Amino acid sequence: MKESIQFSRRVFCDGIRDGFPIALGYFAVSFSLGIAARNAGLTPMQGFWASLLNNASAGEYAAFTLIAAKATYLEVAIITLIANARYLLMSCALAQRFSPETPFFHRLLIGYDVTDELFGITIARPGHLNPCYTYGAILLAAPAWAIGTALGIVAGNALPLRVVSALSVALYGMFLAIIIPPARKDRVVAALVLLSFVLSFACSYLPGVAALSDGTRTILLTVLISGAAAVLFPVPAQEEVGDNE
């Protein structure tokens, strides 16, 4: 198994290749995030570091909104934890896919940038996860998100509202591009994706559930749907070798 934790230039380049469109999407979407940061009084450098150290659109937007409202540090910390809590589930899922011999520092570094899109492309890799792949994707995605935020602070308010709205939609289109290919290959995955859309929409209007935050609803639906799928449609055990080495 030692090959799985050695540096692989091919796997690293695969991560750069797959991370490139994600980086473009992040760069575009973070422009609108930069506007929220500017309204909170952040400078371009502050916005850059905020996004580089916390690559999460919902969590950052909530934090910037609270900063603008002059909230306390404790309030900002709590709302950021709630908004980003779903990444705990993603991190647990990724941890199960690493080779047992993977050093802790690799897990720690990859945990730094677990986002919806990076999780999607990483978890789709066959076999044990090679950290080099995720490093390649992060190398482009994280700086693009931070630079886009800084530039959004500088020039975001000068852009027409329609342009900003269009940029914000780009990330959703990119996420669809991640989930559609596996859904086309597996009918069970396709059905689960469709079910998640329907339940997510329904939970936005159901009494009681609708009052929960978006992050909490996402966690509940993730556990419910993935748990049911694991019981009803278990994935056959497979040899953890192959393309990911």
Side-chain angles (χ1 to χ4, degrees), residues 51-63:
S51 284
L52 188 65
L53 298 176
N54 181 27
N55 195 341
S57 57
E60 281 190 74
Y61 186 83

Side-chain angles (χ1 to χ4, degrees), residues 228-240:
V231 173
L232 298 176
F233 310 101
V235 178
Q238 58 181 358
E239 196 70 24
E240 295 289 355

